[in-house]
Amino acid sequence: MVKSCILSKDFKGNFIYKNNLFLLKINPIAMTCKICGSNSEKIFEKIILQKYPSGYYQCTHCDFIQTDETIWLKEAYTHAITSLDIGLASRNITLREEIKNIIDAYFPESKIYLDYAGGYGMFTRIMRDVGFDYYRQDDYCENIFANHFDITDTQFKHFDMVTAFEVLEHFNAPLEEIKKVLDYSDTVIFSTEIIPDSNANIENWWYIAPETGQHIAFYSKKSMQLIAEKFGRNYYCRNGNIHIFTTKKISNFVKKPRKHFLYKYSIFNKKIKRKSLTETDFQYIKDILNSKTKSS
């Protein structure tokens, strides 16, 4: 049971009934934006994980949206990947084609790649299968598909490109955590959904996902541009949900390549032939397993 009360012009409280006690959770009516430091005003409220009331606050300058203090995170990450993420497999297949096209068109010189917060290692595996020397990093999730190709398995500390899919919305301290990703490479490709242009029904936006408690940061194009500038990167947005932070200037970048009238004949449809690493990876892992057997 949750009951609300106004404590002052700056704070609102919620009485939460738990274990036969009423606990008072104090929620501010306004907060400081985690991206630009401007004032953020409360625009709606949700119940997280069916039990934790939280306000959602939008910055008056950059439109970034953040939640109340995230007291529920430990519970939210009982499992690193939630049961609601049913699009994981199809998303990785779609991103394989998207990232291949971006690399071939704009970063053909790149050779070594890292998938940051790469979850089960699915994207790393399917990219290696099509010839990209990819490695996986994740501090919280079990590596199932990319064993022996984790960041802990390589001497590389800096990569030609880093991908970080569906990660930004999980960051509790966005600037600090984004810096950690950018430290790995001069070029980082994020995926996250951008806040809709109209706030008319924002509290019912599917990306909020209060049922899982993991989505706690929501970005506008303006906030993404500000973040890129803070870290000395150029910002390019493709198809609305792919975000490139790079030190490289791309003069011929196209936001929606398949709608470009020269797509079939231009750099946007450039394909570089690569040899799959599946066979060599198989032999590499087989040799590792055999060496362990001989040494035991």
Side-chain angles (χ1 to χ4, degrees), residues 71-107:
I71 60 174
W72 59 83
L73 283 188
K74 185 176 180 180
E75 184 175 342
Y77 284 92
T78 302
H79 300 287
I81 297 177
T82 75
S83 59
L84 200 58
D85 192 5
I86 59 173
L88 185 149
S90 61
R91 181 171 66 247
N92 277 275
I93 293 169
T94 300
L95 285 168
R96 175 187 64 188
E97 298 308 310
E98 188 74 43
I99 299 307
K100 278 173 56 182
N101 290 340
I102 290 174
I103 292 173
D104 288 350
Y106 305 116
F107 304 96

Side-chain angles (χ1 to χ4, degrees), residues 81 85-100 115-130 132 134-136 138 141 145-146 163-167 191 241-242:
I81 297 177
D85 192 5
I86 59 173
L88 185 149
S90 61
R91 181 171 66 247
N92 277 275
I93 293 169
T94 300
L95 285 168
R96 175 187 64 188
E97 298 308 310
E98 188 74 43
I99 299 307
K100 278 173 56 182
D115 191 31
Y116 185 91
Y120 297 137
M122 183 181 295
F123 187 75
T124 295
R125 182 64 263 162
I126 63 177
M127 289 301 282
R128 294 190 68 84
D129 288 344
V130 293
F132 293 86
Y134 244 94
Y135 294 86
R136 173 254 188 209
D138 200 305
C141 190
F145 298 105
T163 49
F165 302 131
E166 302 306 296
V167 172
S191 77
N241 65 342
I242 301 296

Side-chain angles (χ1 to χ4, degrees), residues 122-296:
M122 183 181 295
F123 187 75
T124 295
R125 182 64 263 162
I126 63 177
M127 289 301 282
R128 294 190 68 84
D129 288 344
V130 293
F132 293 86
D133 194 4
Y134 244 94
Y135 294 86
R136 173 254 188 209
Q137 182 277 346
D138 200 305
D139 293 332
Y140 305 103
C141 190
E142 180 185 4
N143 185 354
I144 297 175
F145 298 105
N147 272 321
H148 306 291
F149 300 101
D150 201 271
I151 192 169
T152 57
D153 298 314
T154 179
Q155 62 182 354
F156 295 114
K157 302 300 180 186
H158 197 265
F159 298 82
D160 295 328
M161 178 183 290
V162 170
T163 49
F165 302 131
E166 302 306 296
V167 172
L168 289 175
E169 61 275 9
H170 295 257
F171 286 165
N172 194 32
L175 294 181
E176 178 182 330
E177 295 174 88
I178 288 170
K179 183 181 184 303
K180 291 180 183 178
V181 186
L182 296 175
D183 283 345
Y184 281 111
S185 180
D186 293 335
T187 298
V188 176
I189 302 178
F190 295 102
S191 77
T192 195
E193 296 294 327
I194 288 295
I195 297 168
D197 291 334
S198 172
N199 272 13
N201 199 31
I202 188 67
E203 67 269 23
N204 295 319
W205 184 31
W206 69 272
Y207 210 55
I208 299 293
E211 299 85 359
T212 71
Q214 292 189 359
H215 285 197
I216 57 174
F218 307 92
Y219 304 78
S220 65
K221 286 185 179 179
K222 185 174 182 179
S223 63
M224 294 294 276
Q225 183 68 57
L226 287 175
I227 294 168
E229 290 173 1
K230 282 178 182 290
F231 293 106
R233 306 297 173 98
N234 299 300
Y235 171 60
Y236 303 94
C237 180
R238 178 171 167 125
N239 294 328
N241 65 342
I242 301 296
H243 312 277
I244 306 172
F245 288 10
T246 181
T247 55
K248 182 176 181 178
K249 289 187 177 180
I250 305 175
S251 59
N252 56 358
F253 188 80
V254 172
K255 297 177 181 179
K256 296 182 179 181
R258 293 190 179 278
K259 293 184 178 181
H260 195 277
F261 72 105
L262 290 178
Y263 176 74
K264 291 183 179 180
Y265 313 102
S266 67
I267 190 174
F268 317 125
N269 199 31
K270 181 180 179 181
K271 303 294 182 185
I272 297 175
K273 290 184 178 181
R274 292 178 176 83
K275 184 179 179 181
S276 171
L277 299 176
T278 307
E279 186 175 337
T280 54
D281 285 355
F282 176 81
Q283 189 60 51
Y284 174 70
I285 296 171
K286 186 176 180 179
D287 290 343
I288 291 175
L289 297 177
N290 284 333
S291 65
K292 289 181 179 178
T293 302
K294 290 177 182 178
S295 61
S296 60

